[in-house]
Amino acid sequence: MTAPSPGEPPVVLDAMGGDHAPAATVAGAVLARRAHGVNVVLVGARTVVEAELRRHDALGEVAVVHADEVVPMAESGAGAAALTRSSLAVGCALVGGGEGGAFVSAGSTGAAVSCAVRGIGRAPGVLRPALAVVLPALRGGGSVLVDAGATADPSPAMMAQFAVLGAGYARAVLGRPDPLVGLLSIGAEPGKGNRLCRRAGELLAALPLRFHGNIEGHDVLAGTVDVIVTDGFTGNVLLKNVEGCVRTTLAMVAEAGIASPERLAEVARRYDPETHGGAALLGLRGTVVIAHGSSPAATIARACAVARDLAGQGAVHGIDATTAEPVT
């Protein structure tokens, strides 16, 4: 068992969020504490959460904060803010009030974004938060995809801010001192894309960033750029398409017998949500990680470890200053 560091701010985990909650979330919290040394606080219906903790002989080992309400997985966001006693709202309020170092949820992304904005607050000048996921690149390392699903219909100004947030995240997490930023579109030539892409491209070109210009879908996993900027709708479709294509391709390769099971497992791990734990919600005054809705216990545990590490490194707070003014 790995003990948490003394005085480490706890990671606040939404015990009721996710397709397999609270069984998977509580099991994930116990695993995060025992295997990764993460100090976790579970937020949810106390009797239900404590019953799950008993199953793992962990009652008293992981703290519980009661929350009366549960935000449905189908809630897109607007109605979540009205449920002020939900596990999402209470958890975000704990982090916003300084009683937690980071917040993790596998619940509805839209609801989590709404509660995080309300309970933790946007960083100065930020129009909308954005989800950042690090995708593995063919030549090694990775690229930051932003937005991966927080804002489906952003304005061009919001997308320009996503680029600034993503570049800051690439510097902090990937160690890229001067990240190369690309705008996902339907053609590499300037002026290609819909009205949103074209206007966003104009704004990106005027920012103090190393802007590559447009990139296409085949560039996403090639490592062409360090930061891939897109709207949340396209980014989420892209992310799930990548996950599905990898699973299908590996299954076909395995069936053909042209690679060893060990090598296939190694490749699969690079794209497994358990490896990266979840997506960081950028543009807030605190650290928030959103895990896959279908996350099992191991992925929840990894998300808690990622959230702890991001908060400890100041990786999210370190990019707040780059978004002091809205992009116009």
Side-chain angles (χ1 to χ4, degrees):
M1 180 185 295
T2 304
S5 301
E8 178 184 88
V11 170
V12 180
L13 175 60
D14 173 15
M16 314 308 288
D19 298 335
H20 309 300
T25 48
V26 173
V30 175
L31 183 60
R33 182 175 177 87
R34 293 175 177 175
H36 302 293
V38 182
N39 182 15
V40 182
V41 171
L42 285 161
V43 180
R46 184 178 297 277
T47 55
V48 175
V49 173
E50 290 184 344
E52 289 294 328
L53 285 171
R54 286 191 190 93
R55 293 180 56 229
H56 300 279
D57 195 25
L59 192 61
E61 183 179 341
V62 178
V64 179
V65 172
H66 179 69
D68 296 321
E69 301 170 312
V70 177
V71 176
M73 286 295 288
E75 174 57 59
S76 61
L83 300 175
T84 58
R85 290 299 305 167
S86 71
S87 55
L88 269 176
V90 173
C92 288
L94 288 173
V95 174
E99 297 179 69
F103 180 68
V104 175
S105 179
S108 161
T109 297
V113 171
S114 293
C115 289
V117 168
R118 184 185 183 95
I120 298 173
R122 288 190 292 262
V126 170
L127 299 170
R128 284 285 295 177
L131 278 176
V133 173
V134 177
L135 296 175
L138 181 63
R139 295 195 294 267
S143 301
V144 176
L145 171 67
V146 59
D147 176 28
T151 304
D153 294 299
S155 66
M158 291 176 188
M159 284 184 59
Q161 280 198 346
F162 296 167
V164 176
L165 292 168
Y169 193 68
R171 283 190 289 268
V173 175
L174 299 181
R176 311 284 166 77
D178 189 18
L180 185 62
V181 177
L183 177 65
L184 187 62
S185 189
I186 57 172
E189 301 84 1
K192 281 293 186 74
N194 57 16
R195 283 179 291 181
L196 174 63
C197 274
R198 292 197 300 272
R199 179 55 182 149
E202 293 171 358
L203 294 177
L204 281 169
L207 289 174
L209 295 172
R210 195 157 62 100
F211 183 44
H212 171 85
N214 288 351
I215 63 168
E216 298 182 74
H218 55 72
D219 294 308
V220 168
L221 299 181
T224 304
V225 296
D226 300 308
V227 180
I228 302 160
V229 179
T230 188
D231 62 273
F233 179 88
T234 303
N236 194 260
V237 171
L238 171 66
L239 180 62
K240 291 176 180 176
N241 184 58
V242 167
E243 293 170 351
C245 284
V246 169
R247 283 195 299 269
T248 301
T249 301
L250 291 178
M252 293 171 67
V253 171
E255 186 177 336
I258 56 178
S260 69
E262 294 78 15
R263 178 57 178 153
L264 292 175
E266 179 184 334
V267 173
R269 275 193 296 273
R270 297 182 65 194
Y271 296 90
D272 192 325
E274 184 181 335
T275 302
H276 52 74
L281 189 57
L282 307 181
L284 297 170
R285 295 181 182 271
T287 301
V288 174
V289 171
I290 308 296
H292 230 296
S294 60
S295 293
T299 305
I300 295 293
R302 180 62 185 149
C304 290
V306 167
R308 183 264 319 270
D309 294 344
L310 288 175
Q313 297 164 6
V316 173
H317 297 108
I319 62 176
D320 288 354
T322 66
T323 53
E325 297 295 335
V327 178
T328 56

